[in-house]
mmCIF file of all heavy atoms in Angstrom:
data_model
loop_
_atom_site.group_PDB
_atom_site.id
_atom_site.type_symbol
_atom_site.label_atom_id
_atom_site.label_comp_id
_atom_site.label_asym_id
_atom_site.label_seq_id
_atom_site.Cartn_x
_atom_site.Cartn_y
_atom_site.Cartn_z
ATOM 1 N N GLU A 825 11.324 18.405 2.986
ATOM 2 C CA GLU A 825 10.502 18.318 4.207
ATOM 3 C C GLU A 825 10.215 16.872 4.599
ATOM 4 O O GLU A 825 9.735 16.611 5.705
ATOM 5 C CB GLU A 825 9.188 19.047 3.991
ATOM 6 C CG GLU A 825 9.334 20.557 3.796
ATOM 7 C CD GLU A 825 8.036 21.209 3.302
ATOM 8 O OE1 GLU A 825 7.289 20.520 2.564
ATOM 9 O OE2 GLU A 825 7.785 22.354 3.690
ATOM 10 N N PHE A 826 10.496 15.933 3.699
ATOM 11 C CA PHE A 826 10.067 14.566 3.908
ATOM 12 C C PHE A 826 10.743 13.880 5.099
ATOM 13 O O PHE A 826 10.044 13.265 5.921
ATOM 14 C CB PHE A 826 10.270 13.772 2.635
ATOM 15 C CG PHE A 826 9.703 12.385 2.674
ATOM 16 C CD1 PHE A 826 8.349 12.147 2.902
ATOM 17 C CD2 PHE A 826 10.538 11.268 2.495
ATOM 18 C CE1 PHE A 826 7.825 10.887 2.929
ATOM 19 C CE2 PHE A 826 10.013 10.007 2.501
ATOM 20 C CZ PHE A 826 8.652 9.793 2.746
ATOM 21 N N PRO A 827 12.081 13.918 5.258
ATOM 22 C CA PRO A 827 12.673 13.204 6.413
ATOM 23 C C PRO A 827 12.116 13.664 7.760
ATOM 24 O O PRO A 827 11.752 12.781 8.567
ATOM 25 C CB PRO A 827 14.183 13.521 6.256
ATOM 26 C CG PRO A 827 14.360 13.716 4.781
ATOM 27 C CD PRO A 827 13.127 14.408 4.330
ATOM 28 N N PRO A 828 11.980 14.974 8.053
ATOM 29 C CA PRO A 828 11.397 15.307 9.352
ATOM 30 C C PRO A 828 9.923 14.930 9.434
ATOM 31 O O PRO A 828 9.445 14.580 10.530
ATOM 32 C CB PRO A 828 11.588 16.826 9.442
ATOM 33 C CG PRO A 828 11.876 17.287 8.056
ATOM 34 C CD PRO A 828 12.542 16.146 7.376
ATOM 35 N N ALA A 829 9.203 14.971 8.313
ATOM 36 C CA ALA A 829 7.789 14.566 8.347
ATOM 37 C C ALA A 829 7.662 13.090 8.693
ATOM 38 O O ALA A 829 6.764 12.683 9.431
ATOM 39 C CB ALA A 829 7.128 14.877 7.013
ATOM 40 N N VAL A 830 8.560 12.265 8.128
ATOM 41 C CA VAL A 830 8.562 10.830 8.417
ATOM 42 C C VAL A 830 8.878 10.590 9.896
ATOM 43 O O VAL A 830 8.271 9.735 10.554
ATOM 44 C CB VAL A 830 9.541 10.083 7.495
ATOM 45 C CG1 VAL A 830 9.745 8.647 7.982
ATOM 46 C CG2 VAL A 830 9.028 10.080 6.058
ATOM 47 N N ALA A 831 9.843 11.315 10.415
ATOM 48 C CA ALA A 831 10.195 11.191 11.823
ATOM 49 C C ALA A 831 9.001 11.498 12.714
ATOM 50 O O ALA A 831 8.768 10.805 13.714
ATOM 51 C CB ALA A 831 11.364 12.116 12.171
ATOM 52 N N GLU A 832 8.213 12.494 12.329
ATOM 53 C CA GLU A 832 7.000 12.801 13.087
ATOM 54 C C GLU A 832 6.000 11.649 13.042
ATOM 55 O O GLU A 832 5.378 11.316 14.053
ATOM 56 C CB GLU A 832 6.338 14.066 12.524
ATOM 57 C CG GLU A 832 7.107 15.344 12.768
ATOM 58 C CD GLU A 832 6.452 16.547 12.103
ATOM 59 O OE1 GLU A 832 5.260 16.440 11.741
ATOM 60 O OE2 GLU A 832 7.110 17.562 11.923
ATOM 61 N N GLU A 833 5.836 11.055 11.849
ATOM 62 C CA GLU A 833 4.902 9.956 11.708
ATOM 63 C C GLU A 833 5.339 8.731 12.524
ATOM 64 O O GLU A 833 4.502 8.026 13.072
ATOM 65 C CB GLU A 833 4.757 9.567 10.236
ATOM 66 C CG GLU A 833 3.954 10.531 9.414
ATOM 67 C CD GLU A 833 2.551 10.694 9.914
ATOM 68 O OE1 GLU A 833 1.841 9.646 10.071
ATOM 69 O OE2 GLU A 833 2.120 11.827 10.165
ATOM 70 N N LEU A 834 6.620 8.501 12.620
ATOM 71 C CA LEU A 834 7.114 7.386 13.417
ATOM 72 C C LEU A 834 6.863 7.602 14.894
ATOM 73 O O LEU A 834 6.584 6.660 15.642
ATOM 74 C CB LEU A 834 8.620 7.184 13.155
ATOM 75 C CG LEU A 834 8.983 6.601 11.803
ATOM 76 C CD1 LEU A 834 10.479 6.670 11.567
ATOM 77 C CD2 LEU A 834 8.506 5.159 11.682
ATOM 78 N N ARG A 835 6.969 8.872 15.349
ATOM 79 C CA ARG A 835 6.715 9.176 16.764
ATOM 80 C C ARG A 835 5.238 9.192 17.087
ATOM 81 O O ARG A 835 4.812 8.657 18.133
ATOM 82 C CB ARG A 835 7.339 10.549 17.115
ATOM 83 C CG ARG A 835 8.829 10.585 17.161
ATOM 84 C CD ARG A 835 9.318 11.867 17.846
ATOM 85 N NE ARG A 835 8.816 13.051 17.145
ATOM 86 C CZ ARG A 835 9.481 13.663 16.159
ATOM 87 N NH1 ARG A 835 10.644 13.199 15.741
ATOM 88 N NH2 ARG A 835 8.955 14.757 15.605
ATOM 89 N N ASP A 836 4.443 9.808 16.221
ATOM 90 C CA ASP A 836 3.024 10.020 16.516
ATOM 91 C C ASP A 836 2.227 10.070 15.221
ATOM 92 O O ASP A 836 2.041 11.132 14.638
ATOM 93 C CB ASP A 836 2.848 11.353 17.281
ATOM 94 C CG ASP A 836 1.409 11.606 17.680
ATOM 95 O OD1 ASP A 836 0.633 10.632 17.728
ATOM 96 O OD2 ASP A 836 1.053 12.763 17.910
ATOM 97 N N PRO A 837 1.805 8.906 14.709
ATOM 98 C CA PRO A 837 1.120 8.880 13.417
ATOM 99 C C PRO A 837 -0.143 9.748 13.422
ATOM 100 O O PRO A 837 -1.015 9.576 14.279
ATOM 101 C CB PRO A 837 0.768 7.386 13.237
ATOM 102 C CG PRO A 837 1.699 6.668 14.163
ATOM 103 C CD PRO A 837 1.945 7.578 15.316
ATOM 104 N N GLN A 838 -0.208 10.663 12.505
ATOM 105 C CA GLN A 838 -1.369 11.545 12.360
ATOM 106 C C GLN A 838 -1.937 11.497 10.938
ATOM 107 O O GLN A 838 -3.156 11.596 10.770
ATOM 108 C CB GLN A 838 -0.984 12.991 12.734
ATOM 109 C CG GLN A 838 -0.692 13.198 14.187
ATOM 110 C CD GLN A 838 -1.890 12.931 15.074
ATOM 111 O OE1 GLN A 838 -3.024 13.283 14.751
ATOM 112 N NE2 GLN A 838 -1.676 12.274 16.227
ATOM 113 N N ALA A 839 -1.079 11.413 9.951
ATOM 114 C CA ALA A 839 -1.577 11.387 8.582
ATOM 115 C C ALA A 839 -2.217 10.059 8.270
ATOM 116 O O ALA A 839 -1.871 9.021 8.877
ATOM 117 C CB ALA A 839 -0.423 11.646 7.609
#
Side-chain angles (χ1 to χ4, degrees):
E825 295 169 326
F826 187 59
V830 169
E832 290 176 17
E833 286 299 307
L834 288 170
R835 289 194 302 269
D836 183 22
Q838 291 297 320

